[in-house]
Amino acid sequence: MNAPSTATQLRKEPVPCVACGSKSRIGRGLCLTCLLSEGFDAETCNDETLDSELASVDVRDADWRLGNYQILEEIGRGGMGVIYRARQRHSRRIVAVKRILTYHADSQETLMRFRREAEAAAKLDHPNILPIYEVGMNEDGFPSFSMKFAAGGSLVDAAPALRNEPRRSVRLMAKVARAVQYAHDQGILHRDLKPGNILLDGRGEPLVSDFGLAKWLDRTSDLTQTLTIFGTPGYIAPEQASGPASKLTPAADIYSLGAILVDLVTGRPPFLGENALAVVQQAAEKPAPKLRSLAPTLDRDLETICAKCLEREPGARYHFAGALAEDLES
């Protein structure tokens, strides 16, 4: 029997670095940057030192590349695309690259939606919206785009830790609401806000991502009218599942923000059900449960804020995401 290796083992699933919070597969619990930091003099080590040392290391590129990007690993996939952690070859910057799934290549509707996501996100320049770096077509003819790599994962990953810190959750969601207000000011409605689409950078700052269902508020689109995907049950507004997309207003995103906040502070979205249809029906037919019925120790003012976000009638919700942010901040 071979003796067990003494080398650092890689985990199957990444976990937050104990020093900086970024995701790592290294068994000792530190990401590569923090491991390197420990090897330098703590007083002289900085980002420039690390970047200089990393750039001097002769690492042979992997065989798989997408355009100007060396693909390092798959980090996620959804209904229409797959996302990779990648290295931009000329700058060596670590980025995320989203590429359309191969079996969607013949779907004009999906191609239009994919391009729509890139177009919508590239139009937005806000510190709490995931930035798009480059949009292009690969050698295989499939579209892709690169964006900032969110080292902290998503709110799905962070939720267990946030559940015991309601004030931190509130501050985080206030920033998300500000970012959503900015998107609305640019004429863009997200339509699929959920914990998995709120990413976190290495410092824990939120980044709104995935504008694949985005709708321009100032124009009608055939794509918007024909899409058969309406968002994620549990987080979408009742009118989003039952009415025409052309009638949606910013109130739909505000409902989603309220549902995410409820999830963060209670551990569940406002409505649960055996299947997606059951969840959608509950949201359309029943008032949302009071926050303190799910978590009695939470603040009464927070309960009032959540209730206003989750009103069944769009006109009864906050009229602006910025107004929600103000209440959360106060």
Side-chain angles (χ1 to χ4, degrees), residues 2 50-51 53 55 100 130 141 143-144 147 165 193 197-198 216 226 235 241 252 259 269 277 308 314 326:
N2 294 331
L50 293 177
D51 289 345
E53 291 299 321
I100 197 166
L130 190 73
S144 67
M147 49 197 166
E165 300 184 68
L193 292 167
N197 286 343
I198 310 297
W216 271 258
T226 58
Y235 303 98
L277 180 59
K308 189 169 184 178
E326 288 179 5

Side-chain angles (χ1 to χ4, degrees), residues 161-203:
L162 287 170
R163 199 153 301 136
N164 297 321
E165 300 184 68
R167 289 186 179 275
R168 183 181 168 199
S169 296
V170 167
R171 288 194 298 269
L172 187 149
M173 288 306 298
K175 293 179 180 180
V176 173
R178 291 286 184 195
V180 171
Q181 178 64 64
Y182 170 80
H184 291 172
D185 290 341
Q186 308 308 306
I188 295 176
L189 182 66
H190 191 287
R191 297 204 305 157
D192 194 21
L193 292 167
K194 57 184 178 181
N197 286 343
I198 310 297
L199 307 181
L200 301 171
D201 67 15
R203 297 176 295 118

Side-chain angles (χ1 to χ4, degrees), residues 2 14 51 126 129 202 273-274:
N2 294 331
D51 289 345
H126 188 277
I129 293 178
E274 295 180 356

Side-chain angles (χ1 to χ4, degrees), residues 296-316:
T297 61
L298 291 174
D299 186 83
R300 191 178 298 276
D301 288 340
L302 184 57
E303 179 178 71
T304 302
I305 291 171
C306 290
K308 189 169 184 178
C309 291
L310 298 174
E311 292 281 358
R312 277 181 293 175
E313 291 299 322

Side-chain angles (χ1 to χ4, degrees), residues 173-248:
M173 288 306 298
K175 293 179 180 180
V176 173
R178 291 286 184 195
V180 171
Q181 178 64 64
Y182 170 80
H184 291 172
D185 290 341
Q186 308 308 306
I188 295 176
L189 182 66
H190 191 287
R191 297 204 305 157
D192 194 21
L193 292 167
K194 57 184 178 181
N197 286 343
I198 310 297
L199 307 181
L200 301 171
D201 67 15
R203 297 176 295 118
E205 289 295 306
L207 298 164
V208 180
S209 72
D210 198 347
F211 284 80
L213 290 184
K215 170 185 177 291
W216 271 258
L217 296 171
D218 58 353
R219 73 188 190 200
T220 302
S221 163
D222 291 338
L223 175 66
T224 297
Q225 295 177 341
T226 58
L227 275 174
T228 56
I229 303 172
F230 298 100
T232 305
Y235 303 98
I236 59 171
E239 69 271 18
Q240 193 168 336
S242 59
S246 59
K247 300 293 185 182
L248 290 179

Side-chain angles (χ1 to χ4, degrees), residues 66 69 71 73 75-86 95-101 110 113-118 121 130 132-138 142-148 192 196-197 199 209-213:
L66 284 177
Y69 301 95
I71 301 302
E73 63 175 334
I75 57 176
R77 64 174 59 214
M80 67 174 181
V82 57
I83 304 174
Y84 303 102
R85 185 172 67 91
V95 302
V97 174
K98 187 167 186 177
R99 174 181 182 270
I100 197 166
L101 290 168
T110 305
R113 180 184 160 194
F114 190 88
R115 294 190 185 104
R116 186 184 189 87
E117 176 180 354
L130 190 73
I132 296 291
Y133 294 143
E134 186 178 22
V135 180
M137 193 74 69
N138 301 320
F142 296 158
S144 67
F145 57 87
S146 64
M147 49 197 166
K148 180 175 181 176
D192 194 21
N197 286 343
L199 307 181
S209 72
D210 198 347
F211 284 80
L213 290 184

